[in-house]
């Protein structure tokens, strides 16, 4: 088992290294234009360009530039923005992490609970009108662009029906710190949580339904039936349990991806200053050092989340320990 | 007599005909296909619509005046609130060919822009699908068939791309190419070209296709008919082309609608983030972005393109599910993630 874990750990380091090289090459070696000009931003003066060249070591070979870059992001943390003169990038990223985590955690709780209920109900009543309705709604959730859904939510809760009893509690867009104002924190996040969760409820509900129906064909379910267990017990204690494996894998991947930037669109629409919004703002004024930093940190999150899922697997499933 | 009946060759249908018949019986899938084709047709008629309506959907026409029921109506209405300095674009007239959905903040006909925008959304996601399938299939075939060091290098590269968050990879690629375009040898793509989002979206999803294809090729590689071909001295490329590729065709076909649905969502998100289709060109994503500022006054500008995306993507997903059930029922191809 130790060997399997070490192997996975090595793999994780390799993927992280690979991603960092790809990010580096995209930003520093894409043919087309001078990377210094890209980093310096629009209408940069000759002095700024010179400073960028010196700062990032553009007069040195590529591998030196790579090492310098990684050092700036992960070791010394003194990467500065040239578009917003002198703004330290790494602390800005660190400050925005709690916002993204708040958004993703809340949405995750919501989507896990709701999609498990939907998956069970749909599997239990399969091929009925209820099952078909739930699956159609799930598909609709998958098919809507999340940022557009966010705008629809804003239109309803901030403008059109804001004065009705249903949505008068919705505070204006923005984020409130949990430590300053727990109630405000909760209220501002409710609508973003629901918006983000809808997409994943669609995916997870459908995946769980399919997994439960598949596991109902297994031999151990027949054994359970032969023992005379009730259908409810078979569904909840036997079929659901094995079906959750697929669910857990997906969850690890999606959670990592969301913390690592897939929540970007939701953050932008609701004005939450998380990592995604930071990336978005940097995009708007072509602030490349900021984008490099957010992309690097985000990838680290994703890779770690994927590895954690695999570690949990190794702990749960004895077959994986030896292979 | 009975002998004669036995000797009569029974008419059997090929696997394609069986699959097609199965698909044709799937009412949800056929209805979705019809909806999607209608959307495609409508978007293809964009130039005709603009000509008929007499509008230029790419030029700002702030001082245009149109006629509704014989009365002159300016496209930009002067605001009656506050100091009366602001302008609000015309709301929907519900008259086809005459600012049906109203105007946007530049005074442009939203309906005409919707059709043109749909055209670029469909073209980009379609072209990106083809790009991904070609590159992904090639990578999967080569890695799975030749194995060894080739497989190791390609697979590790795909692993890294797979672990990369989709939107971040797309953002990184867009931000460095958006201002100057790409110039690699003879390939010269200008910034603002529709090829940029095609290539970026195409690259991002390559592992989604290449990894399952590699798995299939790997198992085909050890099947008896391939071993027989190898031992007969058939060259590798011929085996790939004649023996292996036909066996993965169904998987590839199943990928098309699902991939296209995913690409439409990605394209619209990138355009919404202003790193996809560049103004003055339109796509459904850019129109939603334009409509964001008008959300509370003229919500239709943002609502209609989002609805169009949702309907198209849903139609593609339903059709894709039907296609999978008909062609390749055991496959686990699922692209719902992200």
């Amino acid at each position: 088992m130790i060997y399997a874990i070490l192997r996975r750990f090595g793999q994780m380091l390799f993927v992280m290294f690979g991603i960092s090289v790809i990010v580096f090459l995209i930003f520093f070696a894409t043919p087309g234009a001078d990377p210094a000009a890209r980093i310096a931003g629009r209408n940069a003066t000759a002095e700024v360009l010179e400073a960028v060249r010196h700062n990032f070591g553009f007069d040195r070979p590529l591998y030196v530039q790579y090492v310098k870059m990684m050092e700036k992001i992960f070791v010394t943390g003194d990467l500065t923005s040239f578009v917003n003169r002198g703004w330290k990038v790494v602390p800005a990223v660190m400050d925005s992490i709690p916002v993204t985590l708040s958004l993703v955690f809340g949405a995750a709780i919501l989507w896990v609970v709701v999609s498990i209920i939907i998956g069970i109900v749909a599997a239990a009543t399969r091929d009925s009108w209820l099952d078909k309705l739930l699956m159609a709604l799930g598909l609709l959730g998958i098919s809507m662009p999340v940022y557009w859904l966010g705008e629809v939510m804003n239109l309803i809760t901030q403008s059109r029906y804001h004065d009705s009893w249903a949505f008068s509690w919705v505070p204006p867009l923005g984020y409130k710190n949990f430590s300053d104002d727990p109630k405000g924190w909760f209220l501002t996040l409710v609508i973003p949580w629901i918006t983000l969760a809808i997409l994943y409820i669609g995916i997870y509900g459908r995946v769980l339904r399919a997994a439960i129906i598949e596991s109902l064909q297994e031999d151990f379910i027949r054994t359970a039936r032969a023992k005379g267990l009730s259908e409810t017990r078979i569904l909840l204690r036997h079929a659901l349990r094995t079906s959750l494996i697929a669910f857990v894998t997906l969850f690890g991947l999606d959670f990592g991806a969301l913390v690592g930037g897939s929540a970007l669109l939701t953050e932008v629409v609701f004005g939450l200053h998380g990592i995604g919004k930071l990336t978005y703002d940097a995009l708007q004024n072509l602030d490349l050092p900021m984008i490099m930093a957010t992309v690097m940190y985000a990838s680290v999150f994703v890779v770690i989340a994927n590895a954690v899922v695999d570690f949990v697997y190794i702990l749960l499933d004895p077959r994986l320990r030896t292979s | 007599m009975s002998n004669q009946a036995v000797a009569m060759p029974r008419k059997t249908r090929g696997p394609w005909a069986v699959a097609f018949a199965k698909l044709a019986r799937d009412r949800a899938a056929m209805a979705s296909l019809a909806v999607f084709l209608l959307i495609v047709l409508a978007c293809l008629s964009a130039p005709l619509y603009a000509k008929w309506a007499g509008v230029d959907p790419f030029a700002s026409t702030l001082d245009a005046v149109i006629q509704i029921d014989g009365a002159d109506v300016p496209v930009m209405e002067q605001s009656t609130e506050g100091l009366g300095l602001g302008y609000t674009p015309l709301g929907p007239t519900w008259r086809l060919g005459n600012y049906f959905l109203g105007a946007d903040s530049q005074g442009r006909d939203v309906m005409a822009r919707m059709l043109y925008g749909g055209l670029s959304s469909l073209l980009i996601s379609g072209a990106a699908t083809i790009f991904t399938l070609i590159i992904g299939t090639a990578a999967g075939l080569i890695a799975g068939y030749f194995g060894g060091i080739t497989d190791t290098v390609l697979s590790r590269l795909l692993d890294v791309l797979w672990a990369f968050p989709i939107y971040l990879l797309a953002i990184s690629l867009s931000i460095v190419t958006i201002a100057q375009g790409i110039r690699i040898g003879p390939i010269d793509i200008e910034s603002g070209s529709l090829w940029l989002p095609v290539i970026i979206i195409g690259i991002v999803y390559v592992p989604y296709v290449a990894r399952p294809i590699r798995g299939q090729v790997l198992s085909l590689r050890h099947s008896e008919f391939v071993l027989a071909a190898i031992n007969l001295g058939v060259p590798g490329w011929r085996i790939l082309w004649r023996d292996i590729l036909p066996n993965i065709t169904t998987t590839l076909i199943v990928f098309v609608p699902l991939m296209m649905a995913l690409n439409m969502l990605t394209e619209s998100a990138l355009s919404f983030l202003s790193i996809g289709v560049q103004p003055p060109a339109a796509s459904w994503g850019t129109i939603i972005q334009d409509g964001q500022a008008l959300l509370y006054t003229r919500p239709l500008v943002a609502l209609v393109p989002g609805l169009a995306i949702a309907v198209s993507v849903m139609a593609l997903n339903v059709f894709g599910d039907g296609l999978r059930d008909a062609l390749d029922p055991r496959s686990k191809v699922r692209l719902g993630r992200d």
Side-chain angles (χ1 to χ4, degrees), chain B residues 13-23 246 248-251 253 326-327:
Chain B
R13 295 184 301 168
W16 291 104
V18 172
F20 187 76
K22 200 173 167 192
L23 185 64
I248 57 172
T249 325
T250 48
T251 312
I253 293 175
L327 277 178

Side-chain angles (χ1 to χ4, degrees), chain A residues 23 31-33 38 139 143 147-148 151 155 158-160 203 206 214 250 254 260 264 280 283-284 286 298 302, chain B residues 160 163-165 168 175-176 180 183-184 268 272-274 292 295-296 299 302-303 306 314 318 321 332 336-337:
Chain A
V23 173
R38 289 199 191 114
L139 198 61
S143 306
Y147 57 93
W148 177 75
E151 292 198 338
L155 181 67
Q158 298 281 346
S159 169
R160 290 298 187 266
I203 300 175
R206 289 172 68 87
E214 204 180 305
L250 261 186
D254 285 333
L264 176 113
Y280 176 76
L283 263 180
Q284 300 309 307
L286 296 179
V302 176
Chain B
V160 171
F164 216 128
L168 292 184
I175 190 82
V176 292
Q180 282 94 9
R183 269 182 294 278
I184 309 172
S268 82
F272 176 73
L273 294 173
S274 69
Q292 208 180 5
L295 188 61
Y296 298 153
L303 289 185
M314 186 143 174
V318 173
D321 278 353
K332 299 255 178 183
R337 215 166 70 77

Side-chain angles (χ1 to χ4, degrees), chain B residues 74-133:
Chain B
V75 163
M76 302 302 280
E77 297 160 2
Q78 190 146 21
S79 168
T80 48
E81 286 167 33
L83 296 169
L85 294 174
Y87 284 89
T88 312
L90 181 76
T93 62
W94 304 122
R95 284 169 173 76
L96 265 182
N98 199 8
Y99 285 78
F100 183 70
L101 295 169
D104 68 4
S105 54
Q106 303 275 322
R108 299 172 293 201
D109 184 332
V110 174
M111 185 65 197
R113 278 182 73 76
M114 270 294 299
L115 296 178
Y116 270 105
L119 199 55
S120 26
S121 291
L122 290 167
L123 281 176
I124 291 174
S125 36
T129 304
I130 296 169
F131 184 94
T132 307
L133 283 178

